[in-house]
Amino acid sequence: MGWLQFVEAGRKFDCINSPNTAHPIPVYVEEVENIISVAQYILVVEKESVFQRLANDQFCKRNHCIVISGRGYPDVPTRRFLQLLTEKLCLPTYCLVDCDPYGVDILATYRFGSMQMAYDAKFLRVPGIRWLGAFPLDCDTYCVPKQCLLPLTEEDKRRAQAMLQRCYMQREVPKWRIEIEVLLEKGVKYELEALSACSLSFLTEEYIPSKIQGGGYI
């Protein structure tokens, strides 16, 4: 959804006239053409529930942006379409994921590609994507209720430790590495929805706009 218009295989998709209406990701991304947008940035959200929250709050009506969700780990069309948009529109791109090792791994998939498809990485990766949140210390900054904080499982810890060993964590995104270390040190995780425990519209009205305007991304 958002301020975007394009043609896929001869069929026109006009999101601009109804920016808060969700449209499916194009299946035939190679046939997408005539991309037009007046958006100021692209926002990628990990989960369908957060995407729906943004739609319900008319987020795109108040913010000139494009919002995409991969519904967890993104499939190839989602990653290819996002890469195409960033390539054609040259817009800043932010990613919002749960504060847990799986969320960070999903973020890394968008930026660096998946290990399973390393041979196709250059066609699927988005090198300029920024981590907008949620961060480990956000739970303190925004007073996330303690009942929303869950202890990291042994699998969570193993996954986080494995990510720390990836060469790009040190060379290309050392600040991400620091956040993973803080996550392990705190020993707790939480979902994006926890940030809205006190107000359903907190994500759309305060968290996301303030993070983007204040440069609260890495």
Side-chain angles (χ1 to χ4, degrees), residues 186-213:
K186 288 183 71 66
V188 294
K189 60 183 179 180
Y190 62 93
E191 297 184 334
L192 284 166
E193 291 88 339
L195 292 166
S196 299
C198 297
S199 169
L200 284 177
S201 299
F202 178 76
L203 272 176
T204 58
E205 294 181 359
E206 296 186 48
Y207 186 83
I208 297 173
S210 66
K211 285 273 189 175
I212 291 176
Q213 293 166 14

Side-chain angles (χ1 to χ4, degrees), residues 32-214:
V32 171
E33 57 185 356
N34 299 337
I35 298 173
I36 299 172
S37 178
V38 292
Q40 297 173 343
Y41 61 88
I42 299 171
L43 177 64
V44 181
V45 295
E46 173 189 347
K47 301 159 72 174
E48 178 72 13
S49 58
V50 175
F51 182 93
Q52 194 57 55
R53 178 76 262 160
L54 268 61
N56 291 344
D57 288 349
Q58 303 283 297
F59 183 78
C60 289
K61 188 174 182 179
R62 299 195 305 270
N63 302 271
H64 278 60
C65 64
I66 299 165
V67 181
I68 291 175
S69 175
R71 301 178 181 181
Y73 281 94
D75 58 17
V76 170
T78 300
R79 291 162 57 196
R80 181 69 186 98
F81 185 57
L82 178 61
Q83 198 247 22
L84 179 65
L85 290 182
T86 57
E87 181 182 274
K88 297 295 185 182
L89 300 176
C90 300
L91 293 173
T93 304
Y94 309 103
C95 190
L96 201 59
V97 295
D98 285 340
C99 184
D100 62 25
Y102 286 90
V104 182
D105 198 30
I106 288 169
L107 169 69
T109 299
Y110 280 111
R111 178 153 180 167
F112 299 103
S114 64
M115 301 298 289
Q116 293 86 349
M117 299 189 67
Y119 58 89
D120 256 352
K122 68 177 181 178
F123 300 110
L124 300 173
R125 64 195 297 262
V126 181
I129 198 167
R130 301 295 189 91
W131 185 0
L132 189 66
F135 299 116
L137 294 180
D138 281 348
C139 65
D140 300 326
T141 304
Y142 299 102
C143 302
V144 172
K146 289 185 178 180
Q147 60 266 32
C148 295
L149 304 178
L150 301 173
L152 293 177
T153 65
E154 290 305 314
E155 174 58 28
D156 289 331
K157 294 174 184 177
R158 283 193 293 271
R159 182 174 291 269
Q161 291 287 359
M163 282 192 286
L164 289 175
Q165 303 306 313
R166 297 176 187 175
C167 57
Y168 59 69
M169 281 292 176
Q170 186 61 46
R171 291 203 310 254
E172 299 186 51
V173 284
K175 290 183 179 179
W176 291 15
R177 180 185 174 88
I178 292 172
E179 293 298 328
I180 296 172
E181 290 172 343
V182 173
L183 179 66
L184 284 168
E185 183 180 334
K186 288 183 71 66
V188 294
K189 60 183 179 180
Y190 62 93
E191 297 184 334
L192 284 166
E193 291 88 339
L195 292 166
S196 299
C198 297
S199 169
L200 284 177
S201 299
F202 178 76
L203 272 176
T204 58
E205 294 181 359
E206 296 186 48
Y207 186 83
I208 297 173
S210 66
K211 285 273 189 175
I212 291 176
Q213 293 166 14

